[in-house]
Amino acid sequence: RLLKMEEFFPESFRLDLKDERNAFFELCKEEQIWICKPSCSNQGRGIFLLKTPAAVNTLQAKLHSTEEDLLTKRVPCKAPQARIVQRYIHQPLLLEGKKFDVRSYLFIACTAPYVLFFAQGYVRLACVSYDAASDDLTVHLTNQHMQKKNSLYSQLKEETVWRMEDFNSYVNEKLRKTNGLPKDWVFTVFTERMQQIMLQCFLAAKHKLDHKLGYFDLIGCDFLIDENFKVWLLEMNANPALHTNCKALRDIIPAVVYEGL
């Protein structure tokens, strides 16, 4: 079954497209949180939150000024980096009070014919408790590169990454009964939903892939679960981090790479 985007992807707008940019600035009059991030980047670089109308107005003025410069300058000048704004999911499911997301893998093994594989990844947690009003990006962005900027990271490093088995056990023990979830929700309902969303995204983009023998790609897919256990796709990364700086990652990453090769 094909999904509608709003079923799994937070409302998003491309700021490099004038119609979408204008639609966003028309929409976000009231106070709400949006996350602004560059495309074709990783490690949380260049991401910031838009939390007030004043911040939105500042961004709008900056983009307008850049557009004017591009139109009036006769000498070639570099266009600004393409960005999207995405509605912030401010009621995420928390693990021991901390925000988390799940990194899983889509392996495109071949494009002639198409052959796809799914691999379980790991859970990425913030070092500190979640507070939607916080201006500290390490509260909102759970990737390792961002968490390293938190002063508590060195002592909590091993706690910021959970194996999927540990996540499944936690849900079974702490969340299953109170939320009416089936046993092993992580490895059944959640996993099937991730696979369904990944397949949907692949079908949308497959015409852009090279149809040639020898083409393969490992894509990191980031999912967030909200407090109603709805699964959201945050983004897909064509250059997923493969470092192994804690025990859980040493258990997971080499196996994914070895199996892919």
Side-chain angles (χ1 to χ4, degrees):
R1 184 177 75 87
L2 290 180
L3 303 170
K4 293 180 179 176
M5 277 186 71
E6 57 265 27
E7 290 182 60
F8 67 91
F9 193 60
E11 188 175 15
S12 302
F13 297 88
R14 282 179 57 177
L15 294 180
D16 58 318
L17 298 180
K18 190 172 183 179
D19 288 351
E20 290 203 23
R21 184 167 70 239
N22 291 343
F24 167 68
F25 289 122
E26 196 59 40
L27 174 72
C28 65
K29 302 294 185 188
E30 70 273 17
E31 196 131 337
Q32 52 190 293
I33 305 176
W34 294 81
I35 186 165
C36 185
K37 47 190 175 183
S39 59
C40 301
S41 185
N42 59 5
Q43 298 182 330
R45 282 187 290 243
I47 292 180
F48 57 88
L49 298 183
L50 295 167
K51 300 172 76 174
T52 64
V56 172
N57 291 338
T58 301
L59 176 64
Q60 187 173 18
K62 185 179 177 182
L63 290 173
H64 181 73
S65 171
T66 305
E67 194 173 45
E68 290 286 306
D69 288 347
L70 286 170
L71 289 172
T72 56
K73 281 185 180 174
R74 292 179 184 175
V75 292
C77 99
K78 190 180 176 186
Q81 187 175 23
R83 287 181 162 273
I84 69 161
V85 280
Q86 190 174 70
R87 190 180 288 278
Y88 184 83
I89 298 165
H90 64 278
Q91 292 178 312
L93 183 67
L94 304 177
L95 296 182
E96 298 178 343
K98 298 173 181 178
K99 187 176 181 183
F100 74 96
D101 66 11
V102 173
R103 160 63 57 86
S104 293
Y105 297 100
L106 171 65
F107 183 63
I108 303 169
C110 184
T111 57
Y114 292 119
V115 182
L116 308 181
F117 292 94
F118 167 84
Q120 295 284 5
Y122 53 94
V123 176
R124 312 183 296 187
L125 292 92
C127 290
V128 292
S129 296
Y130 178 67
D131 174 10
S134 175
D135 291 325
D136 180 0
L137 271 181
T138 66
V139 172
H140 302 280
L141 304 179
T142 59
N143 67 71
Q144 289 281 292
H145 188 82
M146 187 58 67
Q147 290 307 307
K148 286 177 184 176
K149 298 180 181 181
N150 190 292
S151 58
L152 294 171
Y153 178 76
S154 56
Q155 66 190 74
L156 296 175
K157 181 171 75 171
E158 296 295 336
E159 297 173 31
T160 61
V161 179
W162 287 11
R163 295 163 65 250
M164 294 298 283
E165 290 80 3
D166 299 326
F167 178 37
N168 186 58
S169 297
Y170 183 92
V171 172
N172 278 343
E173 292 166 20
K174 305 278 181 73
L175 303 173
R176 185 169 78 89
K177 285 186 178 177
T178 52
N179 293 280
L181 302 175
K183 189 171 187 295
D184 295 332
W185 178 86
V186 169
F187 289 130
T188 54
V189 177
F190 177 52
T191 294
E192 287 168 16
R193 189 63 166 174
M194 287 193 291
Q195 292 172 341
Q196 185 183 26
I197 291 169
M198 285 181 186
L199 182 57
Q200 175 103 0
C201 294
F202 171 79
L203 292 173
K206 70 175 186 177
H207 67 284
K208 294 185 177 182
L209 300 175
D210 289 331
H211 295 259
K212 61 186 182 186
L213 289 171
Y215 175 93
F216 67 94
D217 208 351
L218 180 67
I219 297 174
C221 305
D222 298 338
F223 294 93
L224 184 138
I225 305 164
D226 68 21
E227 60 181 12
N228 297 316
F229 288 84
K230 181 171 179 174
V231 179
W232 297 94
L233 173 70
L234 296 180
E235 59 187 41
M236 301 180 84
N237 300 274
N239 182 25
L242 297 174
H243 51 250
T244 53
N245 62 346
C246 66
K247 184 181 184 307
L249 292 177
R250 286 192 291 274
D251 289 344
I252 297 157
I253 301 290
V256 168
V257 174
Y258 178 80
E259 207 174 343
L261 292 174

